[in-house]
Amino acid sequence: MAKFVGENNHRNGTVLDINGQVATISGAQGEKLMATTSQNMKIGDNVEVFVRPEAIAISLPNEKPTHAENGFDVVVKEILFDGSRSQLVAESPQLQSTFSVQLPQTENFRGIRAGDPLFVHWQSAVSRCMLAER
């Protein structure tokens, strides 16, 4: 069985549909997720979805992209500084869970503070779906 190693964001769910190498998943809170799969899966399989912090993009709530396959409203809980990179921990009220997101090194998000609302989003190509361990 394949394993996902390294820092990541993780969701559990059930496969609703498969189109080529992209699975549509119903998450634990009823959210819809899309992720790439390299394993043989079928509708109804229990899966785990992973996306790395650096693969998640952020937008201001009033600038949500229309092309995002996966996206959720979040509130910044804390900002972590680790040498040359900055990371935020953001909570999704909808999902009742947190996301770890690497901040881009641009001026656009320099003023982010705890309590700020954001929108996190990513494409299926940067997330992976694997069969859940039994």
Side-chain angles (χ1 to χ4, degrees), residues 20-88:
Q21 293 295 312
V22 177
T24 301
I25 297 108
S26 175
Q29 301 299 323
E31 74 277 16
K32 296 269 190 310
L33 298 163
M34 295 179 74
T36 302
T37 178
S38 59
Q39 296 178 306
N40 292 326
M41 292 183 185
K42 60 186 181 303
I43 293 171
D45 279 346
N46 291 324
V47 295
E48 297 175 279
V49 178
F50 301 92
V51 61
R52 292 192 185 280
E54 64 272 15
I56 298 176
I58 58 175
S59 299
L60 297 173
N62 61 342
E63 297 175 358
K64 292 179 185 178
T66 57
H67 64 279
E69 291 177 310
N70 300 288
F72 302 97
D73 290 305
V74 297
V75 176
V76 176
K77 291 313 228 184
E78 63 181 320
I79 299 173
L80 310 170
F81 300 98
D82 181 17
S84 64
R85 71 180 198 145
S86 302
Q87 194 157 315
L88 64 84

Side-chain angles (χ1 to χ4, degrees), residues 7-25:
E7 188 175 0
N8 66 78
N9 294 280
H10 172 260
R11 300 291 304 160
N12 292 318
T14 304
V15 175
L16 295 176
D17 188 40
I18 300 172
N19 184 3
Q21 293 295 312
V22 177
T24 301
I25 297 108

Side-chain angles (χ1 to χ4, degrees), residues 119-130:
F119 184 73
V120 296
H121 52 96
W122 65 94
Q123 298 300 107
S124 61
V126 298
S127 59
R128 297 292 176 262
C129 175
M130 299 180 185

